[in-house]
Amino acid sequence: ERFTKIDDENRVKETEVLEGGYRDLGFDVVRIRLEIVEKDSKSCMVRSTIEYEGNEKLADVVSYVNVKPLEMMAEIIGKHLCQNKSTP
């Protein structure tokens, strides 16, 4: 994958998949966007988006494109950070 946008101030990262993953299913372009949205001083949420481009022949595999792997990754990272946070 290649980072196409890194905006630390707004907490946004965008990547374009170059090979593997959804590209192996036949999509021409796959973009993944992650945005960290602060809820309060101790919590946040991750907004994730997947954009893809391909022809109509891919209609059968579109249902496989979802953010579930990103959701699982965010949950694991969140648990790790909570378990390892230092208290002042």
Side-chain angles (χ1 to χ4, degrees):
E1 65 185 8
R2 166 184 61 190
F3 282 95
T4 56
K5 180 177 187 177
I6 299 174
D7 183 344
D8 291 329
E9 185 176 326
N10 294 309
R11 299 179 180 148
V12 175
K13 306 266 191 262
E14 292 181 1
T15 63
E16 189 170 306
V17 178
L18 301 175
E19 60 184 36
Y22 296 125
R23 290 290 304 266
D24 284 351
L25 293 175
F27 292 98
D28 298 324
V29 177
V30 179
R31 290 182 197 92
I32 299 172
R33 175 184 169 99
L34 300 173
E35 180 180 359
I36 308 300
V37 180
E38 187 175 342
K39 292 171 69 175
D40 58 41
S41 63
K42 295 183 180 184
S43 65
C44 66
M45 66 179 195
V46 178
R47 181 178 294 138
S48 53
T49 308
I50 299 176
E51 295 179 15
Y52 53 87
E53 296 175 14
N55 61 40
E56 60 276 351
K57 294 178 185 176
L58 297 170
D60 293 339
V61 296
V62 168
S63 63
Y64 295 112
V65 178
N66 62 62
V67 296
K68 189 65 176 172
L70 300 173
E71 178 186 333
M72 291 171 30
M73 181 178 64
E75 287 179 15
I76 291 168
I77 291 169
K79 286 178 186 176
H80 174 77
L81 292 174
C82 287
Q83 290 173 352
N84 296 302
K85 71 178 181 178
S86 60
T87 53

